[in-house]
Coordinates of all heavy atoms in Angstrom, one line a residue:
P9 N -9.5 214.1 -146.2 CA -9.0 212.8 -146.7 C -10.0 211.9 -147.3 O -9.7 210.9 -147.9 CB -8.2 212.2 -145.5 CG -9.0 212.7 -144.4 CD -9.5 214.0 -144.7
V10 N -11.3 212.1 -147.0 CA -12.3 211.2 -147.5 C -12.4 211.1 -149.0 O -12.4 210.0 -149.6 CB -13.7 211.6 -146.9 CG1 -14.8 210.8 -147.5 CG2 -13.7 211.6 -145.4
H11 N -12.3 212.3 -149.7 CA -12.2 212.3 -151.1 C -11.1 211.5 -151.7 O -11.2 210.7 -152.6 CB -12.2 213.7 -151.6 CG -12.0 213.8 -153.1 ND1 -13.2 213.8 -153.9 CD2 -11.0 213.8 -154.0 CE1 -12.8 213.9 -155.2 NE2 -11.5 213.9 -155.2
T12 N -9.9 211.6 -151.1 CA -8.7 210.9 -151.5 C -8.9 209.4 -151.4 O -8.6 208.7 -152.4 CB -7.5 211.3 -150.7 OG1 -7.4 212.8 -150.8 CG2 -6.2 210.7 -151.3
T13 N -9.5 209.0 -150.3 CA -9.7 207.5 -150.1 C -10.7 207.0 -151.1 O -10.5 206.0 -151.8 CB -10.2 207.3 -148.7 OG1 -9.3 207.8 -147.8 CG2 -10.5 205.8 -148.5
M14 N -11.8 207.7 -151.4 CA -12.8 207.3 -152.3 C -12.3 207.3 -153.7 O -12.5 206.4 -154.5 CB -14.0 208.2 -152.2 CG -14.8 208.1 -150.9 SD -16.1 209.3 -150.7 CE -17.4 208.4 -151.5
R15 N -11.5 208.3 -154.1 CA -10.9 208.4 -155.4 C -10.0 207.2 -155.7 O -10.0 206.5 -156.7 CB -10.2 209.7 -155.6 CG -9.8 209.9 -157.1 CD -8.9 211.1 -157.3 NE -7.6 210.9 -156.7 CZ -7.0 211.8 -155.9 NH1 -7.5 212.9 -155.6 NH2 -5.8 211.5 -155.4
R16 N -9.1 206.9 -154.7 CA -8.2 205.8 -154.9 C -8.9 204.4 -155.0 O -8.5 203.6 -155.7 CB -7.2 205.7 -153.7 CG -6.2 206.8 -153.8 CD -5.2 206.6 -152.7 NE -4.2 207.7 -152.8 CZ -3.6 208.3 -151.8 NH1 -3.9 207.9 -150.5 NH2 -2.7 209.3 -152.0
T17 N -10.1 204.3 -154.3 CA -10.8 203.1 -154.4 C -11.4 202.9 -155.8 O -11.5 201.8 -156.3 CB -12.0 203.1 -153.3 OG1 -11.4 203.3 -152.0 CG2 -12.8 201.9 -153.4
L18 N -11.9 204.0 -156.4 CA -12.5 204.0 -157.7 C -11.6 204.0 -158.9 O -11.9 203.5 -159.9 CB -13.5 205.2 -157.8 CG -14.7 205.1 -156.9 CD1 -15.4 206.5 -157.0 CD2 -15.6 204.0 -157.3
T19 N -10.4 204.5 -158.7 CA -9.4 204.6 -159.8 C -9.2 203.3 -160.5 O -9.1 203.2 -161.7 CB -8.1 205.2 -159.3 OG1 -8.4 206.5 -158.8 CG2 -7.1 205.3 -160.4
R20 N -9.0 202.2 -159.8 CA -8.8 200.9 -160.4 C -9.8 200.5 -161.4 O -9.6 199.9 -162.4 CB -8.7 199.8 -159.3 CG -7.3 199.8 -158.7 CD -7.3 198.8 -157.5 NE -7.7 199.6 -156.4 CZ -8.1 199.2 -155.2 NH1 -8.3 198.0 -155.0 NH2 -8.5 200.0 -154.3
E21 N -11.1 200.9 -161.1 CA -12.2 200.5 -162.0 C -12.2 201.3 -163.3 O -12.9 200.9 -164.2 CB -13.5 200.7 -161.2 CG -13.7 199.8 -160.0 CD -13.4 198.3 -160.3 OE1 -13.9 197.8 -161.3 OE2 -12.7 197.7 -159.4
F22 N -11.5 202.4 -163.3 CA -11.5 203.2 -164.6 C -10.1 203.2 -165.3 O -9.8 204.0 -166.1 CB -11.9 204.6 -164.2 CG -13.3 204.7 -163.8 CD1 -13.7 204.6 -162.5 CD2 -14.3 204.8 -164.8 CE1 -15.0 204.7 -162.1 CE2 -15.6 204.8 -164.4 CZ -16.0 204.8 -163.1
M23 N -9.3 202.2 -165.0 CA -8.0 202.0 -165.7 C -8.3 201.7 -167.1 O -9.3 201.1 -167.5 CB -7.1 200.9 -165.0 CG -6.8 201.1 -163.6 SD -5.7 202.4 -163.2 CE -4.1 201.6 -163.6
V24 N -7.3 202.0 -168.0 CA -7.5 201.8 -169.5 C -7.9 200.3 -169.8 O -8.8 200.1 -170.5 CB -6.3 202.3 -170.2 CG1 -6.4 201.9 -171.7 CG2 -6.1 203.8 -170.1
K25 N -7.2 199.4 -169.2 CA -7.4 198.0 -169.4 C -8.8 197.6 -169.1 O -9.5 196.8 -169.8 CB -6.4 197.1 -168.7 CG -5.0 197.0 -169.3 CD -4.2 196.1 -168.5 CE -2.8 196.0 -169.1 NZ -1.9 195.0 -168.4
K26 N -9.3 198.1 -167.9 CA -10.7 197.7 -167.5 C -11.7 198.3 -168.5 O -12.7 197.6 -168.8 CB -11.0 198.3 -166.1 CG -10.2 197.6 -165.0 CD -11.2 196.7 -164.3 CE -10.5 196.2 -163.0 NZ -11.4 195.4 -162.2
I27 N -11.5 199.5 -168.9 CA -12.5 200.2 -169.8 C -12.4 199.5 -171.1 O -13.5 199.2 -171.8 CB -12.2 201.7 -169.9 CG1 -12.4 202.4 -168.6 CG2 -13.1 202.3 -171.0 CD1 -13.7 202.2 -167.9
D28 N -11.2 199.2 -171.6 CA -11.1 198.5 -172.9 C -11.8 197.1 -172.9 O -12.4 196.7 -173.9 CB -9.6 198.3 -173.3 CG -9.0 199.5 -173.9 OD1 -9.8 200.5 -174.2 OD2 -7.8 199.6 -173.9
A29 N -11.7 196.4 -171.7 CA -12.4 195.1 -171.6 C -13.9 195.3 -171.7 O -14.6 194.4 -172.1 CB -12.0 194.5 -170.3
L30 N -14.4 196.5 -171.3 CA -15.9 196.7 -171.3 C -16.4 197.1 -172.7 O -17.6 197.1 -173.0 CB -16.3 197.8 -170.3 CG -16.1 197.4 -168.8 CD1 -16.3 198.7 -167.9 CD2 -17.1 196.3 -168.4
R31 N -15.4 197.6 -173.5 CA -15.8 198.1 -174.8 C -16.8 197.3 -175.7 O -17.8 197.7 -176.2 CB -14.6 198.5 -175.6 CG -14.9 199.4 -176.8 CD -13.6 199.9 -177.5 NE -12.7 200.5 -176.6 CZ -12.8 201.8 -176.2 NH1 -13.8 202.6 -176.6 NH2 -11.9 202.3 -175.4
P32 N -16.5 195.9 -175.8 CA -17.4 195.1 -176.6 C -18.8 195.1 -176.0 O -19.8 195.2 -176.8 CB -16.8 193.7 -176.6 CG -15.4 194.0 -176.3 CD -15.3 195.2 -175.4
T33 N -19.0 195.0 -174.7 CA -20.3 195.0 -174.1 C -21.0 196.3 -174.3 O -22.2 196.4 -174.7 CB -20.1 194.7 -172.6 OG1 -19.5 193.5 -172.4 CG2 -21.5 194.7 -171.9
I34 N -20.3 197.4 -174.1 CA -20.9 198.8 -174.3 C -21.3 199.0 -175.7 O -22.4 199.5 -176.0 CB -19.9 199.8 -173.8 CG1 -19.7 199.8 -172.3 CG2 -20.4 201.2 -174.2 CD1 -18.5 200.6 -171.8
T35 N -20.4 198.5 -176.7 CA -20.7 198.7 -178.1 C -22.0 197.9 -178.4 O -22.9 198.3 -179.2 CB -19.5 198.2 -178.9 OG1 -18.4 199.0 -178.6 CG2 -19.8 198.4 -180.4
G36 N -22.1 196.7 -177.9 CA -23.3 195.8 -178.2 C -24.5 196.4 -177.6 O -25.6 196.5 -178.3
I37 N -24.5 196.9 -176.4 CA -25.7 197.5 -175.8 C -26.1 198.8 -176.5 O -27.3 199.0 -176.8 CB -25.4 197.8 -174.3 CG1 -25.3 196.6 -173.5 CG2 -26.5 198.7 -173.7 CD1 -24.8 196.8 -172.1
T38 N -25.1 199.6 -176.9 CA -25.4 200.8 -177.7 C -26.0 200.5 -179.0 O -27.0 201.1 -179.4 CB -24.1 201.6 -177.9 OG1 -23.5 201.9 -176.6 CG2 -24.3 202.9 -178.6
G39 N -25.5 199.5 -179.7 CA -26.1 199.1 -181.0 C -27.5 198.6 -180.8 O -28.4 198.9 -181.6
Q40 N -27.8 197.8 -179.8 CA -29.2 197.4 -179.5 C -30.1 198.6 -179.3 O -31.2 198.6 -179.8 CB -29.2 196.4 -178.3 CG -28.6 195.1 -178.6 CD -28.4 194.2 -177.4 OE1 -28.8 194.6 -176.3 NE2 -27.8 193.1 -177.5
L41 N -29.6 199.5 -178.4 CA -30.5 200.7 -178.1 C -30.7 201.5 -179.4 O -31.8 202.0 -179.6 CB -29.8 201.5 -177.1 CG -29.8 200.9 -175.7 CD1 -28.9 201.7 -174.7 CD2 -31.2 200.7 -175.1
E42 N -29.7 201.6 -180.2 CA -29.9 202.4 -181.5 C -30.9 201.7 -182.4 O -31.8 202.4 -183.0 CB -28.5 202.5 -182.2 CG -28.7 203.4 -183.5 CD -27.4 203.5 -184.2 OE1 -26.4 202.8 -183.9 OE2 -27.3 204.3 -185.1
T43 N -30.9 200.4 -182.5 CA -31.8 199.7 -183.3 C -33.2 199.9 -182.8 O -34.2 200.2 -183.5 CB -31.5 198.1 -183.3 OG1 -30.2 198.0 -183.8 CG2 -32.5 197.3 -184.1
V44 N -33.4 199.8 -181.5 CA -34.7 200.0 -180.9 C -35.2 201.4 -181.1 O -36.4 201.7 -181.5 CB -34.7 199.7 -179.3 CG1 -36.0 200.2 -178.7 CG2 -34.5 198.2 -179.1
Q45 N -34.3 202.4 -180.9 CA -34.7 203.8 -181.2 C -35.1 204.0 -182.6 O -36.1 204.7 -182.9 CB -33.5 204.7 -180.8 CG -33.8 206.2 -180.8 CD -34.8 206.6 -179.8 OE1 -34.6 206.3 -178.6 NE2 -35.9 207.2 -180.2
R46 N -34.3 203.5 -183.6 CA -34.7 203.6 -185.0 C -36.1 203.0 -185.3 O -36.9 203.6 -186.0 CB -33.7 203.0 -185.9 CG -32.4 203.7 -186.0 CD -31.4 203.0 -186.9 NE -30.1 203.6 -186.9 CZ -29.8 204.7 -187.7 NH1 -30.7 205.2 -188.5 NH2 -28.6 205.2 -187.6
R47 N -36.4 201.9 -184.7 CA -37.7 201.3 -184.9 C -38.8 202.2 -184.3 O -39.9 202.4 -184.9 CB -37.8 199.9 -184.3 CG -37.0 198.9 -185.0 CD -37.1 197.5 -184.4 NE -36.2 196.6 -185.0 CZ -35.7 195.5 -184.4 NH1 -36.0 195.2 -183.2 NH2 -34.9 194.7 -185.1
L48 N -38.6 202.7 -183.1 CA -39.6 203.6 -182.5 C -39.8 204.8 -183.3 O -40.9 205.3 -183.5 CB -39.1 204.0 -181.1 CG -39.2 202.9 -180.0 CD1 -38.6 203.4 -178.7 CD2 -40.6 202.5 -179.8
W49 N -38.7 205.4 -183.9 CA -38.8 206.6 -184.7 C -39.5 206.3 -186.0 O -40.3 207.1 -186.5 CB -37.4 207.2 -185.0 CG -36.9 208.0 -183.8 CD1 -37.6 208.3 -182.7 CD2 -35.7 208.6 -183.7 NE1 -36.8 209.1 -181.8 CE2 -35.6 209.2 -182.4 CE3 -34.5 208.6 -184.4 CZ2 -34.5 209.9 -181.9 CZ3 -33.4 209.3 -184.0 CH2 -33.4 209.9 -182.7
D50 N -39.3 205.1 -186.6 CA -40.0 204.7 -187.8 C -41.5 204.6 -187.5 O -42.3 205.1 -188.3 CB -39.5 203.4 -188.3 CG -38.1 203.5 -188.9 OD1 -37.6 204.6 -189.2 OD2 -37.4 202.4 -189.1
V51 N -41.9 204.0 -186.4 CA -43.3 203.9 -186.1 C -43.9 205.3 -185.8 O -44.9 205.6 -186.3 CB -43.5 203.0 -184.8 CG1 -44.9 203.1 -184.3 CG2 -43.1 201.6 -185.1
S52 N -43.1 206.1 -185.1 CA -43.6 207.5 -184.8 C -43.7 208.3 -186.1 O -44.7 209.0 -186.3 CB -42.6 208.2 -183.9 OG -42.9 209.5 -183.7
E53 N -42.8 208.1 -187.1 CA -42.9 208.8 -188.4 C -44.1 208.3 -189.1 O -44.9 209.1 -189.7 CB -41.6 208.5 -189.2 CG -41.6 209.3 -190.5 CD -40.4 209.0 -191.3 OE1 -39.4 208.4 -190.8 OE2 -40.4 209.3 -192.5
E54 N -44.4 207.0 -189.1 CA -45.6 206.5 -189.8 C -46.9 207.1 -189.2 O -47.8 207.4 -189.9 CB -45.6 205.0 -189.7 CG -44.7 204.3 -190.6 CD -44.7 202.8 -190.5 OE1 -45.8 202.3 -190.1 OE2 -43.7 202.2 -190.7
L55 N -46.9 207.2 -187.9 CA -48.1 207.7 -187.2 C -48.3 209.3 -187.3 O -49.4 209.7 -187.4 CB -48.1 207.4 -185.7 CG -48.2 205.9 -185.4 CD1 -48.0 205.6 -183.9 CD2 -49.5 205.3 -185.9
T56 N -47.2 210.0 -187.3 CA -47.3 211.4 -187.2 C -46.9 212.1 -188.5 O -47.2 213.3 -188.7 CB -46.4 212.0 -186.1 OG1 -45.0 211.7 -186.4 CG2 -46.8 211.4 -184.7

């Protein structure tokens, strides 16, 4: 029964409404990381 209890505890955090509410934050962080990655690759391309 331990798995069942843990799953029920976590299920609320992964409901569609909760995930949809996180979407703008996740999209923003992903965009920032992509920008940084592109800059690093540009520098790497210049050097190598």
